[in-house]
Amino acid sequence: GHYMYVDSVYVKHFQEVAQLISPKTTAPMRGCLSFYYQLKQESSIVFTVYLRDTSGFYEEIWKTDSALSVDWALAEVDFNAPYPMEVIFEVAFNSAKGGYVALDDISFSPVYCSNQTGTPFNPAEAGCNFEEDLCNFYQDHKDGPGWSRVKVKRNVYRAGDHTTGFGYYLLANTKFTSQPGYIGRLYGPTLPGNLQFCLRFYYALYGFFKMSGTLAVYIFEENHVVQEKIWSVVDSPKGVWTQADISFKKPMPCKVVFVSWCKSFWDCGLVALDDISLSLGSCQAADLLLPNPGECTFEKDECVFTQKKRGRGSWHRRRGPTPTSYTGPKGDHTTGVGYYMYIEASNMVYGQRAYLVSRSLRGTPGKQCLTFFYHMYGAGTGLLSVYLKKEGDDEEIPLWRRTGEQSISWLRGLIEYESDRNYQIIFEVIRGVSVRSDTAIDDILFQAGPCLEVEEIQFSSGYPDSLNEIEY
């Protein structure tokens, strides 16, 4: 049969290299990589096997030790590719009299060649949404009060957390610290070395004059001697939950540390932090993967949704704040700088309706869960409703409704419903009494099975008594 072959007689330049590159892995793989090779050399040949990740980082996993192997020899090497990688068989010749290498029968088994076991690192343990506690994060309080886990009493003047709009998040609240030079450090759990990570989190800043140093991310190597700043705030819209992504890879075990530093009393405002997550592989590789089926963030288009009719009373796709002041969001929910859908109240009259209708969705027996984020801020805000319309029925079944001003932040809506026939989901907005009734939606997700959480009941309209209280 056939095999692959490389020979020094074809070498034109000193130290020429031949590479045979596998396709990229598409799913996490760990186990035993085996192949057969023959090697004949008169002067030095270097035959090496590498793993290469998407950012071009090489990791050597095997190298020949013998000078001669005239018969086919079996090589087995433990192989771990938790994110997309290529396997590279590389031969380097140091002279034209080098000799040759032949390669055949490359195979992979999901069982390690050695007796190696060991639990793979679970990146979910290095994330936190702060709803219950600090998860595996901690702080040493020698620097001062540091980060506090807070919940804002919901009202239209204070933005809530990023996860649901009415949960907990972390605040480095420098107003309560008397001394300038305040610093708050939040340490993450220990991460294994030699793996590539994508760190994602959301942050929001309030009332800063100077941005520099207000929030930075450091990597501490285990001995705590080496620390490297890998990210800091450059410029950011105020009071908007903004997403940050950082890819990093360190040879040693390390920790991620979030640092908020207040140099002098006059520079300091509030720094908020929420929804920290860690995944394996670079952030660019994660972004290349297809989005969740059944998810719409409105970043590229309107996904499965269409308008009943376009015109004055229609939904618009937008990024940044809405044109009318004191109403609508300052940014989208997904990243803070992306797109969302909203109605522009100044184009409509009181009581006018706008419909956003999904295409026909496949019915299934059993419960289904729809989650989305909505934004209802503005003194004249009207009504937002969600309906289910089953195929063959004329009537629309009301599933969910909010009326009046709700909050200055994005809030999460959660709906459990059933339909064994094909159906459509309809988002309907009725414009309120004034132009200050822009209403927006973002990050719609359809999931099979019942909702895992129960939605908190929100107040419908009006202002609570406690206007600016923070619960610690």
Side-chain angles (χ1 to χ4, degrees), residues 77-328:
V77 55
D78 285 330
F79 166 85
N80 189 13
Y83 39 84
M85 285 191 183
E86 296 161 323
V87 178
I88 299 181
F89 294 87
E90 182 181 280
V91 176
F93 293 107
N94 288 329
S95 82
K97 292 198 185 75
Y100 68 82
V101 174
L103 177 68
D104 204 7
D105 293 348
I106 301 167
S107 66
F108 172 77
S109 153
V111 180
Y112 281 120
C113 340
S114 58
N115 295 332
Q116 182 185 344
T117 52
T119 52
F121 170 71
N122 179 9
E125 289 169 4
C128 198
N129 62 13
F130 304 108
E131 294 309 302
E132 302 296 324
D133 51 29
L134 292 182
C135 312
N136 293 318
F137 286 81
Y138 67 93
Q139 41 189 346
D140 53 10
H141 290 281
K142 67 173 187 284
D143 302 320
W147 294 86
S148 307
R149 190 172 147 266
V150 304
K151 182 179 187 176
V152 173
K153 282 262 175 81
R154 292 187 300 281
N155 63 55
V156 294
Y157 299 123
R158 286 303 291 264
D161 80 318
H162 181 263
T163 320
T164 62
F166 28 82
Y168 286 86
Y169 59 96
L170 292 192
L171 201 59
N173 192 344
T174 55
K175 286 283 180 281
F176 298 146
T177 61
S178 52
Q179 80 282 19
Y182 152 89
I183 192 162
R185 289 194 183 95
L186 180 75
Y187 294 86
T190 300
L191 308 175
N194 228 12
L195 277 179
Q196 192 170 38
F197 294 110
C198 172
L199 174 69
R200 283 209 160 120
F201 58 92
Y202 290 84
Y203 67 95
L205 307 173
Y206 302 92
F208 270 100
F209 301 114
K210 297 193 182 87
M211 290 283 187
S212 61
T214 54
L215 180 63
V217 179
Y218 287 82
I219 297 287
F220 275 38
E221 290 199 356
E222 263 307 65
N223 52 19
H224 278 260
V225 176
V226 182
Q227 46 175 303
E228 178 196 348
K229 185 196 276 193
I230 57 170
W231 179 91
S232 66
V233 173
V234 180
D235 192 20
S236 185
K238 302 279 172 69
V240 175
W241 282 113
T242 308
Q243 179 182 294
D245 314 0
I246 311 163
S247 300
F248 66 94
K249 181 169 190 168
K250 289 283 168 237
M252 305 284 290
C254 61
K255 290 180 180 179
V256 170
V257 188
F258 291 86
V259 179
S260 176
W261 185 24
C262 164
K263 293 190 182 79
S264 74
F265 180 77
W266 303 109
D267 290 351
C268 295
L270 303 176
V271 183
L273 183 64
D274 203 5
D275 293 346
I276 301 171
S277 65
L278 192 78
S279 56
L280 292 170
S282 70
C283 298
Q284 291 74 20
D287 289 338
L288 294 175
L289 298 174
L290 293 170
N292 265 332
E295 182 178 36
C296 186
T297 61
F298 300 111
E299 293 310 300
K300 295 192 173 69
D301 53 28
E302 294 171 15
C303 314
V304 300
F305 292 93
T306 53
Q307 312 260 2
K308 260 193 182 174
K309 60 179 190 303
R310 289 190 185 269
R312 285 166 65 91
S314 61
W315 291 84
H316 306 276
R317 188 169 152 267
R318 186 180 176 89
R319 69 194 294 183
T322 59
T324 316
S325 54
Y326 304 108
T327 184

Side-chain angles (χ1 to χ4, degrees), residues 325-344:
S325 54
Y326 304 108
T327 184
K330 292 181 186 173
D332 79 319
H333 179 261
T334 323
T335 62
V337 293
Y339 288 87
Y340 56 89
M341 295 296 287
Y342 89 111
I343 61 127
E344 177 51 60

